[in-house]
Amino acid sequence: MKIAGLDIGTTGCKLTVFNENGERLGKAYREYAVRRDMSGHEIDAAALMDSVYAVIREMAEQYKDIAGIGVTSFGETFVMTDNADHPLHPAMLYTDPRGAEECAELSRKLGEERITRITGVKPSEMYSIPKIMWIKRHRPEVCAAAKHIFLIEDFAVRRLTGRAQIDFSLAARTMAFDINTLTWSREMFDAAEIDIRLMSKPVPTGTEAGCILPEIAKRTGLNPDCRIVSVSHDQVAAAVGAGAFDGRTAVDGAGTSECLTPVYDSLPDLSVMSRGSFCAVPYAAAGKYVTYAFSSTGGALIRWCLETFGKGETYETMEAGYTADEPTGLLVLPHFAGSGTPSLDMGSKGAILGLTTATDGPTIYRACMEGVAYEMRLNYEALAGSGIHFEKLHATGGGAKSRAWMQIKADVLNLPITALKTSDAGTVGSAMLTGIAAGLYTGLEEAAKHMVREAETYEPRPEMHAKYMKIYERYQKLYEAVRPLM
């Protein structure tokens, strides 16, 4: 039996196929265009689905016996469709500037604290419901013609199976889902003046949607008995694929952005979460939640540094170019695409402080790694009163391959960090939950034994932690010092 994980991202989608022993057999990837300008940030949902069909077809040609596909996607982005499930407008990304006025209106109607207690998120125009309100006000003809509102996971599941269902974790990215009752919040929809009946049915993470439609089997070459599973928001899938199932383990997602994902064994203290703009998201294990503590630039900052200061160099040579076993002493504010949590300030800018004529490229490269680690330390401390108690980190993403960066993070956070062999935890998590739904595995722990593989563990060094903390004392003041100037 073969199972697959479909991970639909902002700029591309990939399908990875595994056998029953968790061994990766093949992967297909397709990109699609994203339009970003001053008026909006949008994606063509129809073109996105064409890419989904293409990656499925490529893998189905090689593996005829794919028994199940789990679907995970990026969050917040939505699309309204007609009776035939055809998109009526370009889908708005979370970074799209529209919806700010509508979000402020919701806050005036219900109060920020009330919204947070219902939805688990601090009000922001990044979420779906303020943008849906914007569509209704500025493009009423679209809203009048709409027969359904989908986020990307349930849009793909609908097109593949005909069933409209959305998992709890992705529904929580709308700012209209009640994380206490695990249902759509009628209070939020009434305040937004949006018809709640347009939304898909919320279901637990990892719920099977059924077999693929006959026309999809013909179009893609899949076996008609192939079953589709509604997995989750991509960060939840990555946490599952990293083997974090309870509060003892958090995930360090070292991809384009840097994301620290702790697991809570019960609903966290939402008042603490709100102060740091942290969310509470229902997890794959019943009764558990996760949050996302993130920096908008993680691996993207390292890549920028290599391209800017390392002409002709590789990641490996830049990393090896810094030979001192000491902190650089430089301060890098990694807000090169705005800040993530806890400030959540999209207007913040990046900064590098402490340069001299003797500073070389490898030193700046190392300092960028340190800056991201300091930012995660800032998030770690901001979450301290919310109920976290993790003792270790599991690292995924391309950054997990950097031994220097992994050691810096272990030293700064003063926690052991285990790099996993797979850099693609999202599709692994999707396949794990698909295997459980298909009866291949009895639960998360058994699935992890087959599919989660550890590479190397980096232990914190007390003497280096002490040195980093002296510099971190200065880093804690950096954002407030730089922001008024920029």
Side-chain angles (χ1 to χ4, degrees):
M1 178 188 290
K2 296 178 179 63
I3 52 178
L6 173 63
D7 188 351
I8 305 173
T10 308
T11 59
C13 63
K14 54 180 173 281
L15 184 75
T16 307
V17 180
F18 302 85
N19 65 18
E20 61 272 15
N21 296 318
E23 297 167 331
R24 193 180 87 167
L25 302 177
K27 181 175 77 172
Y29 177 76
R30 293 290 188 282
E31 290 188 350
Y32 29 80
V34 174
R35 183 189 71 82
R36 287 187 174 95
D37 57 34
M38 294 296 290
S39 62
H41 302 171
E42 299 174 335
I43 190 168
D44 183 339
L48 179 150
M49 278 307 303
D50 287 340
S51 295
V52 167
Y53 296 137
V55 295
I56 293 175
R57 184 168 57 250
E58 182 178 336
M59 288 293 96
E61 288 174 354
Q62 299 178 46
Y63 308 101
K64 304 296 184 182
D65 57 341
I66 298 175
I69 298 175
V71 182
T72 182
S73 79
F74 62 106
E76 298 88 37
T77 297
F78 70 93
V79 63
M80 296 182 180
T81 63
D82 61 17
N83 267 327
D85 297 331
H86 295 141
L88 294 169
H89 63 99
M92 300 163 69
L93 297 177
Y94 79 97
T95 54
D96 193 295
R98 291 169 289 185
E101 291 182 8
E102 288 74 15
C103 184
E105 179 182 326
L106 286 173
S107 294
R108 287 194 298 271
K109 283 184 176 180
L110 299 177
E112 286 194 6
E113 183 179 351
R114 177 63 181 160
I115 291 173
T116 298
R117 292 202 171 277
I118 294 172
T119 67
V121 300
K122 186 176 181 178
S124 170
E125 63 269 24
M126 71 180 284
Y127 298 112
S128 314
I129 199 71
K131 288 178 166 49
I132 294 172
M133 293 170 65
W134 188 95
I135 290 281
K136 183 176 181 180
R137 289 180 178 174
H138 296 272
R139 298 197 59 190
E141 75 286 358
V142 169
C143 205
K147 301 302 179 183
H148 208 100
I149 300 174
F150 294 102
L151 273 68
I152 298 303
E153 172 211 275
D154 54 318
F155 178 61
V157 168
R158 171 74 162 199
R159 296 293 292 268
L160 294 172
T161 70
R163 179 166 296 186
Q165 64 179 42
I166 182 171
D167 95 286
F168 295 158
S169 69
L170 192 64
R173 305 309 293 166
T174 60
M175 203 177 91
F177 184 73
D178 191 327
I179 62 165
N180 304 280
T181 62
L182 301 180
T183 59
W184 292 119
S185 169
R186 184 164 296 280
E187 186 174 353
M188 290 299 302
F189 277 92
D190 286 349
E193 299 179 11
I194 302 297
D195 187 351
I196 198 171
R197 296 172 297 178
L198 295 173
M199 308 303 292
S200 297
K201 178 184 176 182
V203 297
T205 294
T207 297
E208 183 184 308
C211 292
I212 59 167
L213 295 167
E215 60 266 30
I216 300 301
K218 183 176 181 179
R219 178 171 183 168
T220 62
L222 281 172
N223 186 309
D225 293 327
C226 179
R227 310 187 83 79
I228 302 299
V229 176
S230 297
V231 175
S232 65
H233 184 218
D234 53 10
Q235 294 293 349
V236 165
V240 171
F245 305 139
D246 59 40
R248 295 172 296 177
T249 306
V251 180
D252 172 57
T256 301
S257 59
E258 177 80 12
C259 187
L260 178 67
T261 307
V263 180
Y264 293 84
D265 295 321
S266 60
L267 187 65
D269 187 326
L270 295 178
S271 61
V272 174
M273 306 289 276
S274 179
R275 288 198 293 271
S277 299
F278 299 112
C279 59
V281 180
Y283 193 40
K288 298 184 187 296
Y289 294 80
V290 294
T291 194
Y292 310 138
F294 67 96
S295 171
S296 298
T297 50
L301 175 60
I302 306 306
R303 184 169 59 251
W304 169 84
C305 187
L306 176 67
E307 294 170 352
T308 305
F309 301 107
K311 303 299 184 183
E313 299 285 346
T314 65
Y315 289 108
E316 292 77 15
T317 58
M318 281 286 274
E319 191 171 298
Y322 185 81
T323 58
D325 194 16
E326 296 283 335
T328 64
L330 300 182
L331 293 178
V332 175
L333 186 67
H335 296 180
F336 284 58
S339 81
T341 54
S343 54
L344 205 62
D345 180 359
M346 297 303 293
S348 185
K349 302 293 191 296
I352 303 176
L353 281 71
L355 297 173
T356 72
T357 54
T359 307
D360 59 14
T363 301
I364 299 174
Y365 185 83
R366 176 85 172 201
C368 286
M369 290 182 176
E370 293 173 344
V372 174
Y374 291 141
E375 191 77 351
M376 287 301 101
R377 177 80 196 188
L378 201 68
N379 278 278
Y380 177 54
E381 292 181 355
L383 284 168
S386 67
I388 57 168
H389 58 272
F390 58 88
E391 305 159 355
K392 59 181 179 177
L393 292 167
H394 284 182
T396 69
K401 298 176 182 178
S402 169
R403 302 184 83 252
W405 205 6
M406 290 297 98
Q407 189 61 61
I408 289 170
K409 290 177 182 178
D411 291 337
V412 170
L413 291 169
N414 202 30
L415 289 167
I417 181 167
T418 298
L420 302 181
K421 289 184 178 180
T422 177
S423 61
D424 194 6
T427 51
V428 171
S430 291
M432 287 168 64
L433 289 164
T434 302
I436 293 169
L440 186 60
Y441 310 123
T442 58
L444 291 172
E445 296 292 346
E446 185 186 352
K449 290 177 183 178
H450 290 274
M451 303 194 71
V452 179
R453 295 184 171 91
E454 298 181 358
E456 184 175 359
T457 297
Y458 301 84
E459 297 289 343
R461 299 171 295 178
E463 70 283 0
M464 288 299 292
H465 175 68
K467 292 177 181 179
Y468 279 121
M469 288 303 94
K470 288 182 180 179
I471 299 169
Y472 177 69
E473 289 179 9
R474 291 188 284 127
Y475 182 85
Q476 290 174 292
K477 306 169 186 175
L478 186 57
Y479 169 69
E480 290 185 0
V482 170
R483 188 63 176 103
L485 304 175
M486 302 301 294

